Amino acid sequence: DTEVTQTPKHLVMGMTNKKSLKCEQHMGHRAMYWYKQKAKKPPELMFVYSYEKLSINESVPSRFSPECPNSSLLNLHLHALQPEDSALYLCASSSGAPGSTTNQPQHFGDGTRLSIL
Amino acid sequence: GNSVTQMEGPVTLSEEAFLTINCTYTATGYPSLFWYVQYPGEGLQLLLKATKADDKGSNKGFEATYRKETTSFHLEKGSVQVSDSAVYFCALSATGGGNKLTFGTGTQLKVEL
C-alpha cells in the first residue's frame, strides 16, 4: 500500500474536456511533486510545491494547471489536452523542502493513467 | 549537468540467479543516490538509498554501495525471485538541487522459473 493516494486511477477524456487529478498524503510532508511518465521512460518532473507554494514549473504547457489547496492535497487541472499528453501522471511527496541541504527521498503514488481521445 | 547512466535492458534471469544492475552518475558535490522499483501498473517505490560515500543501502535482499571513487551505485541481489520482475530506476538528488531527482533510463528485469 502506498502512502500517497491518487485518484482516479484511470481517466479517459476528450480534447475539449476539463478534468482534475487529485493527490493526497498524510505523512506531514511539505513538498509535493507532479510527474509525467510515458511508457518505458523515466518520470519527467512537471511541478514542485513547497509549503503549498509553487516552487518549480518545468516549462509545462498552460493546459496543465496545478493547485495545492493545503499541505495534504495536490491537484492537477487539465484542459484542452492533446493526444501526446496521454501518459501516467505520478504524484510524489517528500519531507525535505526543496532548497534544504538534505535530500529526502520522494514517495510516489500509483499514478493516474490518462488517455486523451 | 547531472546525469545517471544505467545498463540497457531487458535483463532476463532464472530464479535464484545473482543480479547486478549497473548505475553510474555525474554530479557536482555529494548527491544522494536512490534505487526505485516500478512494478507493472504501479507507481515508483523507493527500494533503497545512500546519502554519502561508502554508505550501503539495503532492503528486501537488494543492496547498493555509494562509490564516490567510481561514481557508481550498482544494485545487487544474491538470489532473485519471479516477484522481483519490474523496472528498476537509479536516481540522484544533487546537493542544493531543490530535491529534484535525476533518473536513469530504467532497466527492466524479467525473472523466469
Side-chain angles (χ1 to χ4, degrees):
Chain A
D1 289 341
T2 59
E3 296 169 319
V4 176
T5 303
Q6 291 188 243
T7 55
K9 292 191 182 302
H10 303 275
L11 179 61
V12 179
M13 58 186 287
M15 290 189 284
T16 58
N17 292 157
K18 287 184 181 181
K19 296 286 185 184
S20 296
L21 309 185
K22 297 186 182 301
C23 174
E24 189 168 5
Q25 59 87 14
H26 293 290
M27 295 179 282
H29 290 171
R30 302 312 298 268
M32 296 185 76
Y33 311 76
W34 279 117
Y35 288 85
K36 173 184 179 180
Q37 186 181 25
K38 301 287 275 186
K40 300 186 186 300
K41 298 289 187 183
E44 300 172 22
L45 184 64
M46 300 173 72
F47 303 104
V48 181
Y49 274 82
S50 175
Y51 290 90
E52 294 99 71
K53 294 191 187 309
L54 183 65
S55 61
I56 296 175
N57 176 341
E58 293 285 288
S59 303
V60 179
S62 60
R63 58 186 184 269
F64 295 91
S65 175
E67 178 196 20
C68 191
N70 60 55
S71 60
S72 300
L73 293 174
L74 186 66
N75 298 322
L76 186 62
H77 303 297
L78 314 172
H79 174 54
L81 295 193
Q82 303 298 308
E84 61 266 28
D85 297 322
S86 296
L88 180 68
Y89 288 84
L90 294 165
C91 174
S93 68
S94 68
S95 58
S100 71
T101 57
T102 303
N103 293 319
Q104 297 296 328
Q106 294 180 25
H107 299 261
F108 287 80
D110 281 339
T112 294
R113 191 161 298 281
L114 177 65
S115 298
I116 307 301
L117 301 178
Chain B
N2 303 320
S3 68
V4 175
T5 302
Q6 282 182 242
M7 60 190 292
E8 291 285 328
V11 173
T12 303
L13 295 174
S14 298
E15 201 169 43
E16 299 184 1
F18 185 86
L19 168 71
T20 300
I21 300 178
N22 290 336
C23 171
T24 57
Y25 68 90
T26 302
T28 55
Y30 297 90
S32 295
L33 301 175
F34 308 92
W35 277 101
Y36 283 89
V37 58
Q38 187 171 30
Y39 298 101
E42 297 184 10
L44 277 68
Q45 296 178 26
L46 178 67
L47 184 58
L48 51 85
K49 66 175 182 176
T51 57
K52 61 183 187 297
D54 299 325
D55 264 2
K56 178 185 280 189
S58 61
N59 185 26
K60 299 180 181 179
F62 291 89
E63 292 183 341
T65 301
Y66 190 143
R67 301 284 189 202
K68 189 156 180 66
E69 64 276 13
T70 54
T71 62
S72 65
F73 193 53
H74 305 321
L75 183 67
E76 297 183 335
K77 187 176 185 183
S79 176
V80 294
Q81 306 299 311
V82 171
S83 57
D84 294 325
S85 298
V87 179
Y88 292 80
F89 291 98
C90 184
L92 71 81
S93 182
T95 305
N99 216 31
K100 290 174 65 172
L101 286 172
T102 299
F103 286 96
T105 54
T107 301
Q108 184 173 9
L109 170 65
K110 297 180 181 179
V111 181
E112 301 173 333
L113 290 172

